[in-house]
Amino acid sequence: MTHRSRIPIVVGIVGPGLIGGTLIKQLAAQSRSLQNDLFIDMHVIAIISTRAMYLYNQKGCDLDTWQTDMAVGGEQPDLQAFTDFFKGFSKCHKVIIDCTADARVPSLYAAWLSSGIHVVTPNKKLCSGPLSEWTKARNAAKEHGTHFKYEGTVGAGLPIISTLSDLRQTGDKILHIEGILSGTLSFIFNSFGAGKTFSQVVADAKAKGFTEPDPREDLAGTDVARKMVILGRECGLAIEMQQVTVESLVPPQLADAKSAEDFMLQLPQYDAAMQGQAQAAAEQGMALRYVGSLDLVKMTCSVELKQVPLSHPFANLAGSDNIISFKTQRYNEQPLVIRGPGAGAEVTAAGVFADLLHVAKTLGLP
């Protein structure tokens, strides 16, 4: 016998691109299981992209034909109209999923949460942005009994934020967090060496689609810094981005290169410096890894290129895997380690899906 509520859950998706589109495919594949096994009555009623918007009735869209709907019958995208549309579903639980990397959409989170709409997102912009905005959204969720879930902001689908939350809520004290949290930089330093120069490895990562169109965005370390800020805030720290010490891997002389192509053409000139660091590490039985560190004892946060012993878990990753280590009062001598794919549409969408299911199951509690 189940006590789960059969009050319908209506869902809006902002950004049906790579991650959002993959999420819709996963929802379609699991739709029968959601209804029959988990007793969750869920319908996608609104989808908005930068080009079009489609608003459905309570029965929602056909998850296999939504792209045709958007192309043939979609209207001009309007986030305010998209938001107002949810007012007509007062007898339903409401969830909006932001799958964009946009900075404008997160500015609506607090209003959504205050109006009874739950928010799920892998978008890092608000969670690592100004502390006041993050606090505003969190407080809105607390005050109005709504859920604000963002597991996908760190480590894609890896259970990092949920694990950290469980540790703290069960009374453990976090002492130190350290991790390789960029799939791009993980791939680069897992591949560096073996006869390949640094610029060759970066070019290979770019060709495989691991980097942003301009690899400087990855090499600057900003993405890892954002993730460390999110983890710091989860630990209760009032931390801002500017408080993170970040070592950029972009040669200063190339920071202002006119284009990504220009940057890639000039990068080989600086291979010798990186090769020297790699050789120095190898001579000491070490490997180079780009690591984010949060020390809750010294209250410091950094993102930097570090030497780690070849026996260390960080030195034994494959491909673009992420890894994170939690040293706590309980997990002291042997830190708790989570490892796995930290990038890619499938795993990121799965992390968002898991957050959505967490919200749905919680809503179903008697």
Side-chain angles (χ1 to χ4, degrees), residues 13 19 41 60 92-93 120 269 307 339:
I13 295 177
I19 294 172
D41 185 17
C92 302
H93 296 303
V120 174
Q269 301 174 31
Q307 294 185 3
R339 170 183 173 173

Side-chain angles (χ1 to χ4, degrees), residues 72-199:
V72 176
E75 53 189 288
Q76 280 293 111
D78 184 333
L79 271 172
Q80 187 59 55
F82 176 89
T83 300
D84 291 342
F85 181 64
F86 280 82
K87 294 178 181 177
F89 296 88
S90 59
K91 295 183 179 180
C92 302
H93 296 303
K94 296 165 282 190
V95 183
I96 291 180
I97 303 173
D98 173 21
C99 288
T100 73
D102 188 72
R104 186 169 65 102
V105 178
S107 68
L108 299 172
Y109 292 176
W112 288 342
L113 292 161
S114 296
S115 65
I117 300 173
H118 310 282
V119 174
V120 174
T121 185
N123 186 333
K124 292 185 283 291
K125 294 297 171 62
L126 182 135
C127 294
S128 63
L131 180 63
S132 59
E133 294 301 309
W134 181 80
T135 302
K136 183 180 177 182
R138 295 264 292 199
N139 288 344
K142 289 179 183 178
E143 291 170 10
H144 297 276
T146 45
H147 294 277
F148 179 30
K149 305 290 287 182
Y150 42 89
E151 182 74 78
T153 58
V154 181
L158 295 177
I160 292 174
I161 290 177
S162 55
T163 298
L164 179 55
S165 177
D166 288 345
L167 290 171
R168 296 188 74 237
Q169 289 179 8
T170 57
D172 204 353
K173 183 177 181 180
I174 312 300
L175 304 175
H176 193 268
I177 299 173
E178 192 169 52
I180 294 174
L181 296 172
S182 164
T184 302
L185 294 171
S186 179
F187 175 83
I188 286 173
F189 285 101
N190 290 338
S191 306
F192 185 34
K196 293 182 178 179
T197 65
F198 185 70
S199 62

Side-chain angles (χ1 to χ4, degrees), residues 262-281:
D262 188 38
F263 169 75
M264 292 303 298
L265 282 172
Q266 296 187 61
L267 188 58
Q269 301 174 31
Y270 302 90
D271 279 338
M274 188 62 75
Q275 188 61 42
Q277 290 191 59
Q279 186 173 341

Side-chain angles (χ1 to χ4, degrees), residues 239-251:
I239 186 172
E240 299 275 15
M241 277 286 288
Q242 57 266 32
Q243 293 173 273
V244 183
T245 302
V246 181
E247 178 184 357
S248 174
L249 301 181
V250 178

Side-chain angles (χ1 to χ4, degrees), residues 159-325:
I160 292 174
I161 290 177
S162 55
T163 298
L164 179 55
S165 177
D166 288 345
L167 290 171
R168 296 188 74 237
Q169 289 179 8
T170 57
D172 204 353
K173 183 177 181 180
I174 312 300
L175 304 175
H176 193 268
I177 299 173
E178 192 169 52
I180 294 174
L181 296 172
S182 164
T184 302
L185 294 171
S186 179
F187 175 83
I188 286 173
F189 285 101
N190 290 338
S191 306
F192 185 34
K196 293 182 178 179
T197 65
F198 185 70
S199 62
Q200 287 172 337
V201 173
V202 173
D204 187 31
K206 188 174 188 296
K208 286 182 165 66
F210 287 128
T211 73
E212 295 294 331
D214 188 334
R216 282 176 293 185
E217 294 183 32
D218 300 288
L219 296 174
T222 305
D223 181 64
V224 180
R226 286 188 181 279
K227 293 170 182 176
M228 298 310 297
V229 166
I230 293 169
L231 293 174
R233 290 175 179 176
E234 283 299 299
C235 290
L237 298 185
I239 186 172
E240 299 275 15
M241 277 286 288
Q242 57 266 32
Q243 293 173 273
V244 183
T245 302
V246 181
E247 178 184 357
S248 174
L249 301 181
V250 178
Q253 300 89 333
L254 300 185
D256 296 323
K258 295 179 181 180
S259 65
E261 291 72 22
D262 188 38
F263 169 75
M264 292 303 298
L265 282 172
Q266 296 187 61
L267 188 58
Q269 301 174 31
Y270 302 90
D271 279 338
M274 188 62 75
Q275 188 61 42
Q277 290 191 59
Q279 186 173 341
E283 289 173 354
Q284 298 180 61
M286 312 280 269
L288 291 179
R289 294 294 184 265
Y290 197 73
V291 178
S293 299
L294 180 65
D295 191 322
L296 279 299
V297 178
K298 297 179 180 179
M299 294 297 178
T300 59
C301 187
S302 64
V303 175
E304 60 186 329
L305 191 61
K306 297 180 69 173
Q307 294 185 3
V308 298
L310 295 178
S311 58
H312 195 284
F314 288 10
N316 292 280
L317 294 179
S320 59
D321 278 3
N322 279 194
I323 187 169
I324 190 165
S325 167

